[in-house]
Amino acid sequence: MTAAHPFDADTEVTPAGDGRFAATLTERWTALTGAPNGGYVLAVCLRALRFAMPFPDPVVVSATFMRPAAPGPAEVRTELLRSGRRVATGEARLVQGDAEVVRAVASFSDLRLADGPTLILNRPPALPPPQDAVDPLGGGAIPGITIADRVEYRTVEKPGWLRGEPTGDPRSELWMRFKERRDTDLVALAMLVDAVSPAVMELGASGSATLQLTVHLRAHPAPGWLACRMATRHLIDGYHEEDFEIWDSDGALVAQSRQFALLR
């Protein structure tokens, strides 16, 4: 029997009745703070919420983070809020102990049946092929940031903040994929939009705490590397947004996100 991919194993949920699901957050997806990455915690919520939805695909999810998650047991409480002919909406609340960690509202549909007008006034990042790009970690790791052990990256050059020389430009383009090979699905995309160090690191920041994250899931991605673009344009009184795009190996836009965060 083939072992489950770490992402599938670590986002697994077990039905516990009445729309509740048992989960275990692991230490394999920690971020700069040492706590489980917010996108990973959101993915656990989406795995549970799928059970309540009459459609298979999350298309938009908005998550508010109340407090940092911790490795260990968690419960996800789900509720179907509304179901229509094409879209259903539900809510998931992830709780540890007596404390609510994240509350997510998501709408589900069936993207494979989507059929309507299309206009894209944008294009994928202009990156060199992954094999010609730079591994910013040099094949190594960042102590305490275990998500970098699960996801690999390729950039045009090593980021300034990693060289100890922040560029002052909080924008970046890069390739990304799971290190242990696994095709990316929609739930994984909801994690991957939050799997890169914040763009504000190029301003000399030591990190930021996400207050709210909204993800738009546009299409099922083709297998292979994902081309990503991220940017912060407004830092005001310590609060900032971060916009993120993911394009698949066929050049299709598959995910967008915006998060609102506070500098640490």
Side-chain angles (χ1 to χ4, degrees), residues 23-27 36 70-74 96:
T24 301
L25 304 184
T26 79
E27 297 180 341
Q96 290 189 296

Side-chain angles (χ1 to χ4, degrees), residues 125-134 154-157 175:
L127 291 164
Q131 64 270 21
D132 297 331
V134 174
R154 297 292 183 272
T155 55
V156 175
E157 60 182 2
W175 294 105

Side-chain angles (χ1 to χ4, degrees), residues 22 61-62 101-102 106-107 110-111 138 178 182 184 222 228 236 246 256:
V61 55
S62 181
V101 173
V102 60
S107 292
D110 190 337
L111 284 173
F178 283 115
R182 176 194 187 277
T184 307
C228 306
I236 302 173
I246 300 183
Q256 300 165 274

Side-chain angles (χ1 to χ4, degrees), residues 1-238:
M1 183 176 178
T2 304
H5 187 277
F7 181 74
D8 299 309
D10 295 347
T11 58
E12 184 178 7
V13 296
T14 303
D18 297 325
R20 299 180 179 224
F21 298 83
T24 301
L25 304 184
T26 79
E27 297 180 341
R28 297 199 288 186
W29 307 88
T30 57
L32 287 165
T33 60
N37 166 267
Y40 160 62
V41 178
L42 177 57
V44 174
C45 291
L46 289 175
R47 284 283 297 270
L49 198 50
R50 266 182 166 169
F51 283 88
M53 295 294 107
F55 301 107
D57 301 329
V59 292
V60 59
V61 55
S62 181
T64 298
F65 295 88
M66 315 287 190
R67 54 183 49 82
E75 181 179 76
V76 186
R77 302 169 184 172
T78 66
E79 180 182 358
L80 175 62
L81 301 176
R82 182 186 182 277
S83 182
R85 288 188 302 159
R86 296 181 58 185
V87 177
T89 300
E91 180 183 77
R93 292 180 294 136
L94 188 140
V95 176
Q96 290 189 296
D98 295 325
E100 185 173 350
V101 173
V102 60
R103 182 175 298 196
V105 175
S107 292
F108 281 62
S109 187
D110 190 337
L111 284 173
R112 299 193 191 280
L113 300 180
D115 182 21
T118 297
L119 173 65
I120 300 175
L121 303 177
N122 195 7
R123 61 185 62 188
L127 291 164
Q131 64 270 21
D132 297 331
V134 174
D135 179 352
L137 302 181
I142 303 177
I145 305 177
T146 59
I147 195 168
D149 299 330
R150 309 267 79 84
V151 180
E152 63 180 329
Y153 312 91
R154 297 292 183 272
T155 55
V156 175
E157 60 182 2
K158 189 171 183 177
W161 71 268
L162 266 178
R163 302 192 307 265
E165 301 171 350
T167 63
D169 184 1
R171 296 177 295 172
S172 134
E173 296 181 347
L174 67 150
W175 294 105
M176 177 168 53
R177 69 177 179 183
F178 283 115
K179 273 190 180 178
E180 297 167 75
R181 298 295 174 265
R182 176 194 187 277
D183 289 343
T184 307
D185 59 16
L186 296 173
V187 172
L189 286 175
M191 183 276 292
L192 290 171
V193 296
D194 193 39
V196 181
S197 297
V200 290
M201 301 287 281
E202 290 295 356
L203 298 178
S206 60
S208 64
T210 303
L211 304 178
Q212 198 274 348
L213 170 64
T214 296
V215 187
H216 296 172
L217 299 155
R218 311 306 299 266
H220 291 273
W225 285 93
L226 301 165
C228 306
R229 176 183 290 126
M230 61 187 294
T232 289
R233 297 175 179 86
H234 312 93
L235 170 63
I236 302 173
D237 295 331

